[in-house]
């Protein structure tokens, strides 16, 4: 064989083998599908899965067999946190930023202006926070400019699906439509953070001459049908996954349920179990919404099993804030998350600690319970880790830390402090509801209330119900945590309210402490 021909054959063989090698590598590197099952307002005790070290009467009331099913094979996170209300959690999830940094610190809906509950506050004047939500450019007023999670996944080959509640931007702003933040498909998501109605018979709120802003868009096929919103969304989510699998791309399904947010409306399929318990009517309705949520999870897990997708689909379960307890519920207010104190809107554990589960096939090899604290912005780097996306380019600074290691056997991640910042008014009132900043540095939690500059210090390992304020007993610990919290607020350029009487800003925690000691 002539020398040139031999060289050609060797070269061809080499290129062919390299191609085969790279093809094999690419096959191995195909990232998994990711499902984030994101429930609205689901409290830490709103499930038959105990997240405490014992089962409670609330665990015994609620029936969530599919959460039990996920928990039986996956990882249970007992110290998972969101922010006290919807929008800050959702923006932290989509940007990886802490609320103090992204400044979408309260719930969004009306564009450009603070809402009456903030304008009319008796003592505090609130900062002009980012009332218009998330933006992918820097040209829109009162928005946080960021590179959103779904856009990064989309750019890296994922088919991205949004189902349910959006709530990323104010009315009329681009991010009110999830397709503008990187979702290929949007089912039923818009600016509003709650549905006008859960009932198909009521067209999900569209059966009025002038439907309210809360009327759920895009589910016309179900109008007039005897179907609960959660069930209609589930049917649409499964159809979207079927379409996604045909694209041969990995999919990201952000299944963002409207439930179990108000209005509290019964799902007739599940209500009987709870009316039999002799509960207040509102509580029976609420429990039926929880079971409906769990049924949706079951339908999804069944679909993944049936279509042989389970072994290549990461499933994460999370809630966007603590359980509602200040309004609309039956029974005594502020007790619906017991043993946790207070509920949605509050900086106490009932407002921010939420149920969380996860399963990563091939990596989660044995069921585990993880007590390490983590927070909603940690999902951003975690999902990118799962998708195998290294060092993505983002315009924003990422505060979240990946917990991908915790989903894997034998792996640990070092604990990090968690921060909350809420220079706002929610509307309803109650214990721990108000304008505040806080830090959790395990096992300690320091809360700084802006209105009267008072501090509360708790040891959560010994006192999960925050009954024993240790601020006076541990002044050094208090000072150290106040310093840590101040450093975070300074580093993120956190906005503070002003006092209406003096027009002075609420001081950062260390300055407030200094004033106390100098008096
Ligand atoms: Ca919520």
């Amino acid at each position: 064989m002539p020398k040139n021909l031999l060289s050609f054959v060797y070269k061809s063989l080499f290129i062919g083998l390299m191609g085969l090698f790279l093809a094999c590598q690419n096959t191995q590197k195909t990232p998994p599908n990711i499902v984030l099952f994101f429930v609205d307002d689901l409290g830490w005790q709103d499930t038959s899965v105990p997240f405490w070290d014992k089962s409670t009467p609330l665990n015994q009331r609620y029936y969530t067999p599919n959460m039990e099913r996920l928990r039986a094979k996956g990882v249970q996170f007992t110290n998972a946190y969101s922010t006290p209300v919807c929008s800050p959690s959702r923006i932290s999830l989509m940007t990886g930023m802490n609320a103090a940094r992204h400044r979408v610190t309260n719930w969004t809906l009306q564009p450009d202006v603070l809402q009456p509950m903030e304008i009319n506050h008796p003592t505090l004047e609130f900062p002009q926070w980012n009332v218009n939500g998330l933006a992918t450019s820097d040209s829109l007023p009162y928005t946080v400019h960021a590179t959103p999670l779904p856009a990064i996944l989309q750019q890296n080959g994922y088919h991205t699906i949004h189902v349910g509640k959006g709530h990323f931007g104010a009315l009329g702003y681009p991010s009110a439509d999830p397709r503008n933040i990187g979702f290929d498909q949007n089912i039923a998501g818009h600016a509003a953070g709650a549905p006008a109605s859960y009932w198909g018979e009521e067209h999900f709120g569209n059966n009025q001459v002038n439907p309210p802003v809360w009327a759920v868009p895009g589910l016309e096929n179900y109008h007039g049908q005897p179907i609960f919103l959660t069930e209609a969304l589930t049917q649409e989510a499964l159809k979207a996954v079927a379409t996604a699998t045909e694209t041969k791309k990995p999919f990201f399904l952000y299944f963002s349920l409207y439930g179990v947010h108000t209005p509290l409306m019964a799902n007739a399929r599940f209500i009987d179990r709870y009316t039999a318990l002799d509960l207040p009517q509102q509580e029976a309705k609420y429990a039926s919404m929880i079971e409906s949520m769990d049924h949706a999870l079951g339908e999804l897990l069944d679909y993944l099993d049936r279509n042989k997708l389970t072994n290549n689909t990461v499933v994460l379960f999370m809630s966007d804030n603590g359980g509602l307890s200040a309004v609309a519920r039956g029974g005594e207010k502020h007790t619906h998350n017991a043993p946790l104190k207070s509920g949605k809107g509050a900086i106490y554990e009932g407002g921010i600690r939420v149920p969380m589960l996860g399963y990563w096939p091939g990596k989660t090899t044995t069921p585990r319970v993880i007590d390490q604290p983590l927070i909603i912005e940690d999902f951003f780097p975690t999902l990118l880790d799962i998708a195998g996306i290294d060092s993505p380019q983002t315009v924003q600074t990422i505060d979240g830390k990946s917990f991908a290691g915790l989903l894997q056997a034998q792996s640990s991640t070092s604990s990090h402090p968690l921060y909350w910042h809420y220079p706002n008014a929610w509307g309803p009132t109650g214990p721990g509801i108000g304008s505040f900043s806080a830090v959790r540095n395990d096992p300690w939690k320091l809360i700084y209330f802006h209105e009267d500059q008072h501090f509360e210090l708790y040891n959560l390992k010994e006192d999960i119900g925050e009954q024993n304020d240790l601020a006076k007993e541990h002044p050094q610990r208090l000072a150290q945590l106040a310093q840590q919290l101040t450093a975070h607020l300074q580093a993120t350029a956190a906005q503070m309210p002003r006092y209406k009487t003096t027009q002075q800003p609420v001081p950062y925690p260390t300055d407030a402490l200094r004033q106390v000691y100098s008096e």
Side-chain angles (χ1 to χ4, degrees):
M1 194 181 285
K3 203 173 170 186
N4 280 352
L5 186 60
L6 195 65
S7 161
F8 173 75
V9 168
Y10 280 138
K11 265 188 191 161
S12 302
L13 200 62
F14 176 72
I15 290 167
L17 283 171
M18 276 304 287
L20 192 65
F21 173 69
L22 288 174
C24 286
Q25 264 207 329
N26 281 342
T27 310
Q28 283 164 1
K29 277 195 170 172
T30 299
N33 306 310
I34 303 172
V35 173
L36 175 51
F37 193 90
F38 200 50
V39 191
D40 196 1
D41 287 10
L42 189 76
W44 196 63
Q45 291 295 294
D46 289 347
T47 164
S48 49
V49 176
F51 277 78
W52 198 18
D53 56 9
K54 53 179 86 60
S55 179
T56 65
L58 289 170
N59 297 141
Q60 286 144 37
R61 173 190 299 181
Y62 299 122
Y63 182 60
T64 59
N66 294 294
M67 285 181 71
E68 291 176 32
R69 172 180 169 189
L70 186 56
R71 190 259 162 276
K73 68 172 184 177
V75 184
Q76 178 181 16
F77 294 86
T78 59
N79 283 267
Y81 289 91
S82 283
T83 76
V85 298
C86 303
S87 302
S89 286
R90 286 158 197 269
I91 304 301
S92 288
L93 169 67
M94 291 298 163
T95 64
M97 302 161 87
N98 182 255
R101 193 187 299 279
H102 65 56
R103 297 184 170 186
V104 188
T105 44
N106 208 359
W107 59 277
T108 57
L109 182 65
Q110 297 301 335
D112 307 324
V113 291
L114 301 189
Q115 294 187 53
M117 78 278 182
E118 294 206 309
I119 291 169
N120 300 327
H121 192 275
T123 61
L124 295 177
E125 187 178 296
F126 295 104
Q128 183 67 50
W129 53 278
N130 282 330
V131 293
N132 294 327
L134 179 59
T136 54
S137 76
D138 60 3
S139 60
L140 298 172
Y142 309 128
T143 57
V144 56
H145 176 207
T147 311
L149 177 67
I152 300 171
L153 292 171
Q154 190 181 48
Q155 284 155 14
N156 283 273
Y158 272 80
H159 181 80
T160 52
I161 308 163
H162 180 281
V163 180
K165 171 167 161 174
H167 207 213
F168 303 119
L171 291 165
Y173 275 81
S175 62
D177 183 338
R179 288 174 298 185
N180 292 329
I181 66 163
F183 284 106
D184 291 313
Q185 190 178 2
N186 168 38
I187 297 160
H190 63 151
S197 169
Y198 280 94
W199 291 345
E201 295 94 322
E202 295 184 345
H203 300 201
F204 311 116
N206 293 283
N207 62 340
Q208 302 172 33
V209 180
N210 293 308
V213 292
W214 316 97
V216 180
L219 295 173
E220 287 78 8
N221 286 346
Y222 302 92
H223 289 185
Q225 304 295 318
I227 191 167
F228 203 68
L229 175 56
T230 309
E231 295 163 348
L233 292 176
T234 307
Q235 290 190 18
E236 290 301 306
L238 300 187
K239 275 191 223 165
V241 170
T243 307
T245 50
E246 284 167 18
T247 68
K248 305 293 179 199
K249 289 178 171 182
F251 64 83
F252 170 49
L253 170 64
Y254 176 62
F255 192 175
S256 167
L257 284 73
Y258 276 98
V260 298
H261 197 291
T262 52
L264 304 190
M265 297 174 74
N267 183 332
R269 287 176 65 186
F270 302 112
I271 192 78
D272 290 352
R273 183 193 310 277
Y274 308 102
T275 46
L277 293 181
D278 200 25
L279 295 169
Q281 197 186 27
Q282 288 298 85
E283 293 307 284
K285 287 181 191 170
Y286 187 69
S288 81
M289 293 169 81
I290 288 173
E291 189 170 336
S292 186
M293 170 282 295
D294 183 80
H295 189 75
L297 176 65
E299 296 269 297
L300 178 69
L301 296 178
D302 286 346
Y303 181 91
L304 297 177
D305 282 348
R306 211 165 46 239
N307 292 281
K308 301 192 168 32
L309 292 165
T310 300
N311 289 340
N312 195 31
T313 305
V314 176
V315 179
L316 295 167
F317 181 106
M318 185 64 173
S319 171
D320 73 337
N321 50 252
L324 183 67
S325 197
V327 287
R329 297 287 300 269
E332 194 183 340
K333 287 180 180 183
H334 317 303
T335 64
H336 297 91
N337 300 291
L340 305 186
K341 189 163 156 183
S342 202
K344 179 178 179 178
I347 189 57
Y348 293 131
E349 295 291 287
I352 52 176
R353 200 193 282 216
V354 289
M356 177 181 162
L357 302 164
Y359 175 68
W360 188 350
K363 305 273 187 175
T364 309
T365 51
T366 47
R368 305 164 75 207
V369 178
I370 299 288
D371 294 330
Q372 182 178 311
L374 59 86
I375 190 162
I376 186 71
E377 54 261 31
D378 295 339
F379 277 72
F380 183 99
T382 304
L383 265 64
L384 295 179
D385 270 356
I386 291 168
I389 301 168
D390 295 330
S391 316
Q393 294 296 307
T394 61
V395 296
Q396 73 272 28
T397 300
I398 309 299
D399 294 300
K401 310 279 183 238
S402 175
F403 57 83
L406 296 176
L407 291 167
Q408 305 178 43
Q410 314 300 329
S411 197
S412 70
T413 307
S414 62
S415 188
H416 65 96
L418 313 182
Y419 299 100
W420 294 267
H421 183 58
Y422 187 79
N424 304 89
W426 176 41
T429 55
I433 297 173
S435 185
F436 46 70
S437 309
V439 55
R440 175 167 178 178
N441 198 346
D442 221 17
W444 298 94
K445 177 177 170 189
L446 179 75
I447 308 171
Y448 172 49
F449 289 98
H450 298 160
E451 199 167 358
D452 59 1
Q453 296 179 33
H454 96 273
F455 292 90
E456 294 180 18
L457 178 68
Y458 297 102
N459 182 330
L460 293 175
K461 284 247 161 70
E462 292 168 4
D463 178 23
I464 199 171
E466 295 166 291
Q467 298 299 309
N468 267 324
D469 174 12
L470 302 172
K472 287 197 172 63
E473 285 172 49
H474 293 277
Q476 282 182 330
R477 176 76 61 189
L478 191 157
Q480 181 253 320
L481 286 167
Q483 207 166 34
Q484 191 177 13
L485 180 56
T486 300
H488 171 75
L489 296 174
Q490 284 169 337
T492 54
Q495 295 175 298
M496 301 301 280
R498 285 176 183 274
Y499 297 104
K500 280 187 169 170
T501 49
T502 63
Q503 282 301 300
Q504 291 299 308
V506 172
Y508 279 161
T510 43
D511 293 332
L513 261 189
R514 205 169 293 130
Q515 284 167 22
V516 171
Y517 285 123
S518 65
E519 275 165 8

